[in-house]
Protein backbone atom coordinates (compact mmCIF):
# COMPACT_ATOMS: atom_id res chain seq x y z
CA UNK A 1 0.00 0.00 0.00
CA UNK A 2 1.19 3.53 -0.82
CA UNK A 3 -0.08 6.27 1.48
CA UNK A 4 0.51 10.03 1.33
CA UNK A 5 0.46 12.49 4.22
CA UNK A 6 0.98 16.26 4.02
CA UNK A 7 3.27 17.57 6.77
CA UNK A 8 4.31 21.08 7.73
CA UNK A 9 7.51 22.04 9.53
CA UNK A 10 8.00 25.55 10.90
CA UNK A 11 11.20 27.31 9.90
CA UNK A 12 13.46 28.84 12.51
CA UNK A 13 13.24 32.13 10.58
CA UNK A 14 11.87 33.31 7.24
CA UNK A 15 13.70 31.84 4.25
CA UNK A 16 13.95 34.22 1.30
CA UNK A 17 15.28 33.80 -2.24
CA UNK A 18 14.89 35.96 -5.34
CA UNK A 19 11.48 34.38 -6.08
CA UNK A 20 9.88 34.89 -2.67
CA UNK A 21 9.83 34.07 1.03
CA UNK A 22 8.44 31.31 3.25
CA UNK A 23 8.10 30.60 6.96
CA UNK A 24 7.34 26.87 6.80
CA UNK A 25 8.27 23.79 4.82
CA UNK A 26 5.24 22.02 3.37
CA UNK A 27 6.12 18.48 2.36
CA UNK A 28 4.52 15.18 1.45
CA UNK A 29 5.45 12.04 3.37
CA UNK A 30 4.99 8.83 1.37
CA UNK A 31 4.77 5.49 3.12
CA UNK A 32 5.03 2.13 1.32
CA UNK A 33 3.79 -0.85 3.34
CA UNK A 34 4.09 -4.38 1.93
CA UNK A 35 4.49 -7.75 3.61
CA UNK A 36 4.39 -6.08 7.02
CA UNK A 37 7.38 -3.88 6.18
CA UNK A 38 7.22 -0.09 5.88
CA UNK A 39 9.45 2.35 4.01
CA UNK A 40 9.24 6.14 3.94
CA UNK A 41 10.19 8.98 1.63
CA UNK A 42 9.62 12.73 1.49
CA UNK A 43 9.27 15.28 -1.26
CA UNK A 44 8.86 19.04 -1.49
CA UNK A 45 6.49 20.05 -4.31
CA UNK A 46 8.00 23.16 -5.89
CA UNK A 47 5.98 25.90 -7.58
CA UNK A 48 8.95 26.79 -9.82
CA UNK A 49 8.36 23.43 -11.53
CA UNK A 50 4.55 23.78 -11.56
CA UNK A 51 4.16 21.38 -8.65
CA UNK A 52 1.65 21.69 -5.82
CA UNK A 53 0.82 19.43 -2.89
CA UNK A 54 -2.37 18.49 -4.72
CA UNK A 55 -0.80 17.79 -8.12
CA UNK A 56 1.98 15.67 -6.65
CA UNK A 57 -0.51 13.76 -4.49
CA UNK A 58 -2.59 13.01 -7.60
CA UNK A 59 0.48 11.71 -9.45
CA UNK A 60 1.31 9.32 -6.61
CA UNK A 61 -2.30 8.19 -6.21
CA UNK A 62 -2.32 7.22 -9.88
CA UNK A 63 0.43 4.64 -9.40
CA UNK A 64 -0.19 0.91 -9.21
CA UNK A 65 -0.05 -0.14 -5.56
CA UNK A 66 2.52 -2.85 -6.23
CA UNK A 67 4.79 -0.78 -8.45
CA UNK A 68 8.48 -1.59 -8.32
CA UNK A 69 11.28 0.93 -8.15
CA UNK A 70 12.38 -0.15 -11.62
CA UNK A 71 8.91 0.42 -13.12
CA UNK A 72 8.53 3.74 -11.33
CA UNK A 73 11.07 5.44 -13.61
CA UNK A 74 8.79 4.98 -16.63
CA UNK A 75 5.54 5.57 -14.74
CA UNK A 76 6.34 9.11 -13.58
CA UNK A 77 8.53 11.94 -14.90
CA UNK A 78 11.45 13.33 -12.93
CA UNK A 79 10.08 15.41 -10.07
CA UNK A 80 8.85 15.45 -6.51
CA UNK A 81 6.25 12.68 -6.83
CA UNK A 82 8.68 10.12 -8.19
CA UNK A 83 11.28 11.15 -5.64
CA UNK A 84 9.13 10.43 -2.59
CA UNK A 85 8.03 7.03 -3.91
CA UNK A 86 11.52 6.06 -5.09
CA UNK A 87 13.05 6.88 -1.70
CA UNK A 88 10.24 5.09 0.13
CA UNK A 89 10.84 2.00 -2.00
CA UNK A 90 14.59 2.10 -1.30
CA UNK A 91 13.81 2.32 2.42
CA UNK A 92 11.33 -0.54 2.15
CA UNK A 93 13.85 -2.71 0.28
CA UNK A 94 16.47 -2.03 2.94
CA UNK A 95 14.17 -2.86 5.83
CA UNK A 96 12.81 -5.96 4.14
CA UNK A 97 16.29 -7.30 3.32
CA UNK A 98 17.98 -6.20 6.52
CA UNK A 99 20.73 -4.50 4.48
CA UNK A 100 21.23 -0.73 4.35
CA UNK A 101 20.54 1.14 1.14
CA UNK A 102 24.22 1.82 0.54
CA UNK A 103 24.85 -1.94 0.41
CA UNK A 104 21.88 -2.55 -1.91
CA UNK A 105 23.06 0.25 -4.21
CA UNK A 106 26.67 -0.96 -4.27
CA UNK A 107 27.95 2.24 -2.66
CA UNK A 108 30.84 2.66 -0.20
CA UNK A 109 30.18 3.00 3.50
CA UNK A 110 28.83 6.55 3.96
CA UNK A 111 30.91 8.96 6.00
CA UNK A 112 29.98 12.33 7.56
CA UNK A 113 29.97 15.27 5.14
CA UNK A 114 30.37 19.01 5.64
CA UNK A 115 27.33 20.93 4.47
CA UNK A 116 26.97 24.53 3.41
CA UNK A 117 24.73 26.76 5.51
CA UNK A 118 22.38 29.07 3.62
CA UNK A 119 21.94 32.77 4.31
CA UNK A 120 18.63 34.13 3.00
CA UNK A 121 18.34 37.13 0.73
CA UNK A 122 17.90 40.22 2.91
CA UNK A 123 19.21 43.72 3.44
CA UNK A 124 23.00 44.05 3.55
CA UNK A 125 22.90 44.86 7.26
CA UNK A 126 20.85 41.81 8.14
CA UNK A 127 22.93 39.57 5.90
CA UNK A 128 26.11 40.82 7.56
CA UNK A 129 24.60 40.06 10.99
CA UNK A 130 23.55 36.58 9.82
CA UNK A 131 27.01 35.95 8.39
CA UNK A 132 28.58 37.00 11.69
CA UNK A 133 26.31 34.59 13.62
CA UNK A 134 27.43 31.76 11.34
CA UNK A 135 31.00 32.85 10.73
CA UNK A 136 32.19 29.69 12.52
CA UNK A 137 30.76 27.53 9.75
CA UNK A 138 33.27 26.45 7.09
CA UNK A 139 30.99 27.04 4.08
CA UNK A 140 28.26 29.66 3.64
CA UNK A 141 25.84 29.82 0.73
CA UNK A 142 24.47 33.28 -0.03
CA UNK A 143 21.09 33.73 -1.66
CA UNK A 144 21.25 36.61 -4.14
CA UNK A 145 19.59 37.34 -7.48
CA UNK A 146 18.85 41.06 -7.74
CA UNK A 147 20.57 43.89 -9.65
CA UNK A 148 21.69 45.35 -6.30
CA UNK A 149 23.66 42.45 -4.87
CA UNK A 150 27.10 44.03 -4.55
CA UNK A 151 26.46 45.53 -1.06
CA UNK A 152 25.14 42.15 0.09
CA UNK A 153 28.29 40.39 -1.05
CA UNK A 154 30.50 42.90 0.71
CA UNK A 155 28.39 42.68 3.86
CA UNK A 156 28.55 38.88 4.08
CA UNK A 157 32.30 38.82 3.56
CA UNK A 158 32.71 41.46 6.27
CA UNK A 159 30.56 39.41 8.64
CA UNK A 160 32.36 36.12 7.94
CA UNK A 161 35.89 36.96 6.78
CA UNK A 162 37.24 33.41 7.06
CA UNK A 163 34.34 31.32 5.73
CA UNK A 164 34.31 29.79 2.29
CA UNK A 165 31.47 31.29 0.25
CA UNK A 166 29.31 30.11 -2.64
CA UNK A 167 26.55 32.17 -4.23
CA UNK A 168 23.10 31.19 -5.53
CA UNK A 169 21.39 33.71 -7.82
CA UNK A 170 18.28 31.53 -8.38
CA UNK A 171 17.99 32.69 -12.03
CA UNK A 172 17.84 36.31 -10.89
CA UNK A 173 20.64 37.93 -12.92
CA UNK A 174 21.16 38.95 -16.52
CA UNK A 175 24.36 38.20 -18.39
CA UNK A 176 25.36 41.84 -17.91
CA UNK A 177 24.81 41.75 -14.15
CA UNK A 178 26.76 38.51 -13.82
CA UNK A 179 29.64 39.84 -15.92
CA UNK A 180 29.78 42.99 -13.81
CA UNK A 181 29.74 41.03 -10.56
CA UNK A 182 32.14 38.23 -11.54
CA UNK A 183 35.38 40.14 -10.80
CA UNK A 184 34.00 41.11 -7.41
CA UNK A 185 32.97 37.53 -6.69
CA UNK A 186 36.58 36.55 -7.26
CA UNK A 187 37.90 39.44 -5.19
CA UNK A 188 35.71 38.42 -2.26
CA UNK A 189 36.79 34.79 -2.47
CA UNK A 190 33.54 33.35 -3.78
CA UNK A 191 34.26 29.81 -5.01
CA UNK A 192 31.21 29.10 -7.20
CA UNK A 193 28.04 30.73 -8.51
CA UNK A 194 24.80 28.79 -8.94
CA UNK A 195 22.34 29.41 -11.78
CA UNK A 196 23.06 33.08 -12.51
CA UNK A 197 20.74 33.22 -15.55
CA UNK A 198 17.23 31.83 -16.03
CA UNK A 199 16.95 28.26 -17.26
CA UNK A 200 16.13 28.36 -20.95
CA UNK A 201 17.82 31.75 -21.26
CA UNK A 202 21.32 30.66 -20.32
CA UNK A 203 22.91 30.23 -23.74
CA UNK A 204 24.93 33.40 -23.14
CA UNK A 205 26.94 31.49 -20.53
CA UNK A 206 28.69 29.80 -23.46
CA UNK A 207 29.71 33.17 -24.87
CA UNK A 208 30.78 35.20 -21.83
CA UNK A 209 33.76 34.67 -19.56
CA UNK A 210 33.23 32.30 -16.62
CA UNK A 211 36.13 33.27 -14.33
CA UNK A 212 34.76 31.11 -11.51
CA UNK A 213 32.82 27.82 -11.73
CA UNK A 214 29.16 28.15 -12.71
CA UNK A 215 26.77 25.47 -11.44
CA UNK A 216 23.50 24.46 -13.11
CA UNK A 217 20.55 24.12 -10.75
CA UNK A 218 17.23 24.95 -12.38
CA UNK A 219 18.82 24.02 -15.73
CA UNK A 220 19.70 20.49 -14.58
CA UNK A 221 17.08 17.95 -13.55
CA UNK A 222 18.18 14.50 -14.70
CA UNK A 223 20.47 12.83 -17.23
CA UNK A 224 18.38 14.21 -20.10
CA UNK A 225 19.49 17.72 -19.06
CA UNK A 226 23.20 17.12 -19.59
CA UNK A 227 23.44 17.68 -23.37
CA UNK A 228 21.97 21.17 -22.96
CA UNK A 229 24.57 22.18 -20.38
CA UNK A 230 27.65 21.65 -22.53
CA UNK A 231 29.89 24.69 -22.75
CA UNK A 232 27.69 26.68 -20.36
CA UNK A 233 28.24 25.12 -16.95
CA UNK A 234 31.12 23.67 -14.98
CA UNK A 235 29.11 21.93 -12.25
CA UNK A 236 25.64 20.46 -11.71
CA UNK A 237 23.51 20.69 -8.57
CA UNK A 238 21.79 17.33 -8.08
CA UNK A 239 18.63 17.42 -5.98
CA UNK A 240 16.42 14.40 -5.38
CA UNK A 241 13.23 16.37 -5.95
CA UNK A 242 14.49 17.31 -9.41
CA UNK A 243 15.87 13.92 -10.46
CA UNK A 244 12.83 12.06 -9.21
CA UNK A 245 14.60 10.03 -6.58
CA UNK A 246 17.86 8.44 -5.52
CA UNK A 247 17.86 5.95 -8.41
CA UNK A 248 18.11 8.61 -11.12
CA UNK A 249 20.26 10.87 -8.93
CA UNK A 250 22.97 8.22 -8.67
CA UNK A 251 22.86 7.68 -12.43
CA UNK A 252 23.03 11.44 -13.08
CA UNK A 253 25.98 11.81 -10.73
CA UNK A 254 27.92 9.05 -12.47
CA UNK A 255 27.23 10.44 -15.95
CA UNK A 256 27.94 14.04 -14.97
CA UNK A 257 31.28 13.06 -13.47
CA UNK A 258 32.12 11.01 -16.55
CA UNK A 259 31.43 14.08 -18.70
CA UNK A 260 33.73 16.23 -16.58
CA UNK A 261 31.24 18.19 -14.48
CA UNK A 262 31.84 18.91 -10.83
CA UNK A 263 29.02 17.71 -8.59
CA UNK A 264 27.09 19.62 -5.97
CA UNK A 265 24.38 17.83 -3.98
CA UNK A 266 21.60 20.16 -2.87
CA UNK A 267 18.14 20.12 -1.40
CA UNK A 268 14.82 21.86 -1.11
CA UNK A 269 13.80 23.11 2.34
CA UNK A 270 12.60 19.88 3.91
CA UNK A 271 13.02 17.66 6.94
CA UNK A 272 15.68 15.11 7.84
CA UNK A 273 13.70 12.45 5.99
CA UNK A 274 14.21 14.34 2.72
CA UNK A 275 17.95 14.80 3.35
CA UNK A 276 18.71 11.24 4.45
CA UNK A 277 18.93 9.62 0.99
CA UNK A 278 20.92 12.61 -0.28
CA UNK A 279 23.66 11.90 2.27
CA UNK A 280 24.49 8.76 0.28
CA UNK A 281 24.51 10.78 -2.94
CA UNK A 282 26.73 13.44 -1.33
CA UNK A 283 29.64 11.08 -0.75
CA UNK A 284 32.60 12.48 -2.70
CA UNK A 285 30.69 15.50 -4.01
CA UNK A 286 32.67 18.71 -4.45
CA UNK A 287 30.00 20.74 -2.60
CA UNK A 288 27.30 19.50 -0.23
CA UNK A 289 24.29 21.69 0.54
CA UNK A 290 22.00 19.61 2.75
CA UNK A 291 21.22 22.15 5.45
CA UNK A 292 17.43 21.87 5.26
CA UNK A 293 17.03 20.56 8.83
CA UNK A 294 19.29 23.33 10.17
CA UNK A 295 16.75 25.85 8.89
CA UNK A 296 13.82 24.23 10.72
CA UNK A 297 12.31 25.01 14.11
CA UNK A 298 10.99 21.41 14.24
CA UNK A 299 11.98 18.15 12.56
CA UNK A 300 11.24 14.43 12.40
CA UNK A 301 11.07 12.42 15.62
CA UNK A 302 14.39 10.77 14.71
CA UNK A 303 16.33 13.53 12.96
CA UNK A 304 19.70 13.55 11.28
CA UNK A 305 22.64 14.35 13.53
CA UNK A 306 24.56 17.56 12.85
CA UNK A 307 27.72 18.52 14.69
CA UNK A 308 28.03 22.12 13.62
CA UNK A 309 28.10 21.83 9.84
CA UNK A 310 29.12 18.16 9.87
CA UNK A 311 26.20 15.97 8.79
CA UNK A 312 26.26 12.31 9.81
CA UNK A 313 24.75 9.44 7.78
CA UNK A 314 21.12 8.67 8.65
CA UNK A 315 20.17 6.15 11.32
CA UNK A 316 18.10 3.27 9.97
CA UNK A 317 15.23 4.37 12.22
CA UNK A 318 14.95 7.50 10.04
CA UNK A 319 15.66 6.01 6.60
CA UNK A 320 17.71 3.45 4.76
Amino acid sequence: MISITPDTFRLAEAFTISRGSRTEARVLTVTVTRDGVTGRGECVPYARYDETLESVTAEIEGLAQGITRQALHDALPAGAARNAVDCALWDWEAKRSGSPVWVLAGLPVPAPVVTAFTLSLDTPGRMRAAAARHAHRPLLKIKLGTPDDMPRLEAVRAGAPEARIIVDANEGWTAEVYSDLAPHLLRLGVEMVEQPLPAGQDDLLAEIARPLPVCADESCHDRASLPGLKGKYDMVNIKLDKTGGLTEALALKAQAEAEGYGVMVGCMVGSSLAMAPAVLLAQGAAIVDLDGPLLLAEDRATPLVFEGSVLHPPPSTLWG
Side-chain angles (χ1 to χ4, degrees):
M1 182 178 73
I2 302 174
S3 60
I4 312 146
T5 305
D7 287 307
T8 300
F9 297 90
R10 291 181 297 108
L11 302 188
E13 55 188 52
F15 182 78
T16 302
I17 65 173
S18 60
R19 282 191 290 270
S21 187
R22 73 188 76 174
T23 58
E24 59 187 19
R26 300 178 68 202
V27 311
L28 291 175
T29 304
V30 169
T31 302
V32 173
T33 303
R34 296 172 186 168
D35 303 325
V37 177
T38 295
R40 298 189 304 160
E42 178 185 315
C43 68
V44 183
Y46 201 45
R48 169 63 180 82
Y49 306 130
D50 299 320
E51 295 173 335
T52 65
L53 293 171
E54 294 75 19
S55 70
V56 171
T57 297
E59 284 186 278
I60 297 170
E61 288 177 341
L63 293 172
Q65 285 294 312
I67 195 165
T68 64
R69 188 167 49 79
Q70 292 72 25
L72 179 66
H73 187 276
D74 295 324
L76 287 178
R82 195 175 78 190
N83 174 38
V85 180
D86 181 80
C87 290
L89 287 170
W90 273 113
D91 189 35
W92 177 80
E93 290 172 33
K95 288 177 169 56
R96 183 190 62 168
S97 68
S99 297
V101 169
W102 62 267
V103 170
L104 299 180
L107 301 173
V109 182
V113 294
V114 175
T115 179
F117 183 85
T118 303
L119 303 183
S120 285
L121 181 69
D122 210 327
T123 65
R126 288 176 178 168
M127 292 185 76
R128 176 171 179 160
R133 289 197 302 274
H134 296 283
H136 63 284
R137 297 185 183 276
L139 179 61
L140 295 178
K141 175 175 171 175
I142 315 172
K143 289 290 189 180
L144 297 175
T146 79
D148 306 309
D149 282 332
M150 194 63 233
R152 295 184 174 98
L153 280 165
E154 299 277 11
V156 169
R157 177 48 83 198
E162 302 300 324
R164 296 169 55 211
I165 292 177
I166 56 177
V167 162
D168 186 2
N170 281 116
E171 306 179 279
W173 291 339
T174 64
E176 292 75 20
V177 169
Y178 168 66
S179 294
D180 287 345
L181 285 176
H184 299 288
L185 296 174
L186 289 173
R187 173 174 60 83
L188 294 169
V190 174
E191 297 183 8
M192 179 273 283
V193 59
E194 232 183 301
Q195 199 70 42
L197 308 187
Q201 301 175 35
D202 54 3
D203 287 345
L204 282 174
L205 288 174
E207 302 174 17
I208 61 178
R210 299 199 307 275
L212 71 166
V214 178
C215 181
D217 182 2
E218 287 86 352
S219 290
C220 181
H221 290 251
D222 57 9
R223 283 172 290 175
S225 303
L226 289 177
L229 307 182
K230 191 171 183 180
K232 298 188 290 188
Y233 293 96
D234 310 290
M235 300 182 68
V236 295
N237 186 351
I238 305 176
K239 296 178 179 175
L240 298 178
D241 276 314
K242 292 189 303 175
T243 64
L246 181 62
T247 303
E248 174 63 21
L250 291 169
L252 171 58
K253 181 183 180 185
Q255 186 168 332
E257 290 177 334
E259 294 186 16
Y261 292 99
V263 168
M264 174 180 183
V265 174
C267 66
M268 307 302 186
V269 182
S271 82
S272 283
L273 180 58
M275 307 302 126
V279 177
L280 302 188
L281 183 67
Q283 302 297 306
I287 296 175
V288 178
D289 180 25
L290 297 177
D291 63 345
L294 294 177
L295 306 176
L296 302 179
E298 53 192 1
D299 199 354
R300 299 284 176 177
T302 306
L304 288 167
V305 174
F306 289 83
E307 291 181 311
S309 293
V310 176
L311 168 57
H312 290 264
S316 60
T317 48
L318 173 64
W319 182 88

